[in-house]
Amino acid sequence: MMTWHLVLLILYSALLIGLGLWTGRRVATSSGFFVAERRLSPVLLFATLLAANIGAGSTVGAAGLGYRDGVSAWFWVGSAGIGSILLGLWIGPRIWRTARQHDLQTVGDYLELRFGASVRGVVSSLLWVATLAILAGQFIGMAWILNVITGMPKWAGCLVSGSVMILYFTAGGLVSSAWVNLVQLVVLLAGFALALPLVLQSVGGWQGIAADLPAPALDPWAGGHAWDHLVLLVPAFIISPGLLQKIYGARDTRTVRLAVTGQGLVLLLFALVPMTLGMAARVLYPGLEPPAPGQAVDIALPHLLVHALPAWMGAISLAAILSAEISSADAVLFMLATSLSKDLYKRFLRPQADDRQVLRTARWAAISGGLLAVAMAIALSSVVDALSIFYSLLGLSLLVPILAGLYLRGGAARAALAAISAAVAVRLLADGLLDAPLAGWLTPQAMGYIASAAAFLLVLLIGSNRIRRRK
């Protein structure tokens, strides 16, 4: 049984690498690498966004939360869907028009346009480090699959996973990602569609799950986890650089609205799948141990698929999870490559660099970022831990500046820097001083958002008053 699982995953990984190298042959410019020449159709943009959003956190991590917490795990993926719908209906079309008008290729380009080079440098540096954490989370998820199938230790699984990702992404950037993601999405959705009814049958349906689990596991608001997920993830998915930069590659605003909103609606439905599988795993295998007390049981989903399904079905389902994790990982490599090459190297270190040098730097940034993320994956214990680091810093540093940039036309650099500094400082202080939220909704992350908005408005007001006095 184990041999078939491993053979299929090896063949599938080879297919992805080959497709990535083939589609990347004609990518010879930074514009092709970063924004696919702004030619992505609704289908390709939908596929690459949805595949990016259904990753290790949305499968292995969410199922682990379902195993630990029950139905409140829906909010881990459901919050991403809510944020995506807001992105598609509100921010996405507006920021696409700005990107097209000014030939923007990264979120750093947008931040500099609205707030100046200082904000671009601070945010790009902060997010480059934070982005390593989400990539590490994908490698951890893939490592657990290899661990269940072959007994491979986690560190070796992280090395193997990182190698596959770096090979196929580095060739073609967004072009490779979009086409490979389309293949991954088909495998992903087919695998889960086949696995879910068989797993439910083995536990007696939802009635069997409800009968065997304690009452708190059936309460979506038990333990405050639902609110934690909403506060952490909804803002992060509204302003994620990886998603915004994929949106830059759309061919028009209609494509943005259809693709982004559509994949957000799919995420709302898909959120039920890992939640249910995790709860079913708890019914069938109640003795699985998390990496540390209070953490999600990352091994729950791969263990369930290998041991509760026929060998051929388990192999297809594991390929589906692998698709999810690889597709999210390439979105993160995209963020790392564009941020380092365009926002830092081209803008600050070597402004005279030509297009070929920027493209080469982007590819080396993907390689170096991938290797650093492998090291982080070996050090961190769980998928959810790794992703929480990223989503927290992402929302705190970008939410207020990006939203303000939609309505301002420059001149607010100090306000943006104050917002970022206040958000991160308050979050760190709250984490260090508070053992529990001050109120059910007032988590450290929420306090960071409030501090960010207050600091932005205060500095903006002070600046406006000074301008009036001078006049």
Side-chain angles (χ1 to χ4, degrees):
M1 180 179 74
M2 297 302 180
T3 301
W4 280 110
H5 289 122
L6 185 58
V7 167
L8 179 61
L9 293 184
I10 290 172
L11 292 175
Y12 182 61
S13 298
L15 171 65
L16 297 181
I17 292 171
L19 182 57
L21 294 172
W22 182 77
T23 56
R25 292 176 306 158
R26 291 172 291 179
V27 176
T29 67
S30 60
S31 177
F33 190 91
F34 293 148
V35 295
E37 306 291 352
R38 304 192 201 279
R39 293 178 181 173
L40 293 185
S41 66
V43 172
L44 277 180
L45 183 60
F46 170 88
T48 192
L49 288 171
L50 184 58
N53 284 337
I54 301 179
S58 303
T59 54
V60 173
L65 291 173
Y67 187 100
R68 186 191 74 183
D69 302 326
V71 295
S72 66
W74 179 90
F75 286 92
W76 182 264
V77 182
S79 297
I82 295 169
S84 294
I85 292 171
L86 292 173
L87 173 61
L89 295 177
W90 174 26
I91 294 176
R94 292 178 64 101
I95 207 166
W96 182 89
R97 283 192 290 266
T98 302
R100 180 66 177 265
Q101 179 183 355
H102 298 279
D103 193 27
L104 308 182
Q105 296 184 356
T106 70
V107 171
D109 288 340
Y110 172 83
L111 292 172
E112 180 167 359
L113 177 70
R114 293 294 185 241
F115 302 110
S118 58
V119 174
R120 176 183 191 151
V122 168
V123 172
S124 298
S125 300
L126 184 63
L127 288 184
W128 203 86
V129 175
T131 301
L132 295 175
I134 193 172
L135 185 56
Q138 311 309 314
F139 294 159
I140 292 172
M142 288 185 263
W144 284 126
I145 293 175
L146 295 174
N147 175 265
V148 169
I149 296 174
T150 68
M152 183 183 295
K154 179 186 161 206
W155 66 266
C158 292
L159 285 173
V160 171
S161 303
S163 299
V164 171
M165 276 308 313
I166 292 168
L167 280 171
Y168 96 70
F169 174 81
T170 305
L174 185 54
V175 175
S176 291
S177 293
W179 283 103
V180 174
N181 288 164
L182 187 58
V183 174
Q184 291 166 331
L185 188 61
V186 172
V187 174
L188 187 160
L189 296 178
F192 280 107
L194 291 170
L196 183 62
L198 289 178
V199 170
L200 282 174
Q201 184 180 12
S202 68
V203 295
W206 181 256
Q207 293 79 5
I209 292 175
D212 282 336
L213 295 184
L218 306 176
D219 180 0
W221 302 102
H225 300 297
W227 181 252
D228 290 342
H229 299 334
L230 284 168
V231 172
L232 180 67
L233 296 173
V234 171
F237 277 81
I238 293 175
I239 45 79
S240 169
L243 302 183
L244 290 176
Q245 287 169 202
K246 286 176 181 285
I247 286 171
Y248 285 0
R251 65 190 182 194
D252 52 35
T253 54
R254 177 179 174 273
T255 295
V256 174
R257 290 191 184 93
L258 288 175
V260 182
T261 306
Q263 64 90 33
L265 293 172
V266 173
L267 285 174
L268 296 181
L269 295 175
F270 181 81
L272 296 168
V273 176
M275 174 203 81
T276 304
L277 292 175
M279 296 172 73
R282 183 171 170 181
V283 171
L284 294 173
Y285 311 105
L288 297 178
E289 295 293 332
Q295 291 181 343
V297 188
D298 287 344
I299 204 171
L301 184 56
H303 187 88
L304 175 74
L305 298 179
V306 168
H307 296 287
L309 296 176
W312 66 272
M313 175 60 66
I316 293 174
S317 301
L318 287 170
I321 301 177
L322 193 67
S323 285
E325 291 160 0
I326 292 177
S327 59
S328 283
D330 72 39
V332 182
L333 276 177
F334 181 59
M335 292 169 64
L336 290 170
T338 56
S339 179
L340 184 62
S341 61
K342 196 83 166 58
D343 297 330
L344 297 175
Y345 173 77
K346 171 70 173 174
R347 180 60 184 84
F348 296 104
L349 298 179
R350 196 170 181 182
Q352 73 276 16
D354 60 26
D355 191 76
R356 189 174 180 179
Q357 290 170 322
V358 172
L359 178 58
R360 184 171 62 248
T361 302
R363 286 176 165 143
W364 278 110
I367 294 171
S368 60
L371 294 175
L372 288 171
V374 168
M376 185 177 286
I378 293 170
L380 292 172
S381 57
S382 77
V383 172
V384 170
D385 279 352
L387 269 58
S388 295
I389 294 171
F390 169 76
Y391 289 133
S392 176
L393 286 174
L394 177 69
L396 293 173
S397 60
L398 278 182
L399 182 65
V400 169
I402 284 186
L403 294 184
L406 294 176
Y407 303 100
L408 298 175
R409 291 298 178 265
R414 291 181 180 177
L417 291 172
I420 296 166
S421 302
V424 175
V426 168
R427 171 64 202 257
L428 292 175
L429 284 172
D431 277 337
L433 297 176
L434 299 178
D435 294 327
L438 294 178
W441 60 272
L442 197 55
T443 64
Q445 188 76 7
M447 294 169 67
Y449 289 134
I450 293 170
S452 180
F456 187 93
L457 293 173
L458 179 61
V459 174
L460 195 65
L461 182 62
I462 293 172
S464 299
N465 288 335
R466 285 177 179 171
I467 292 173
R468 290 195 196 98
R469 290 194 200 101
R470 289 171 185 168
K471 291 181 179 179

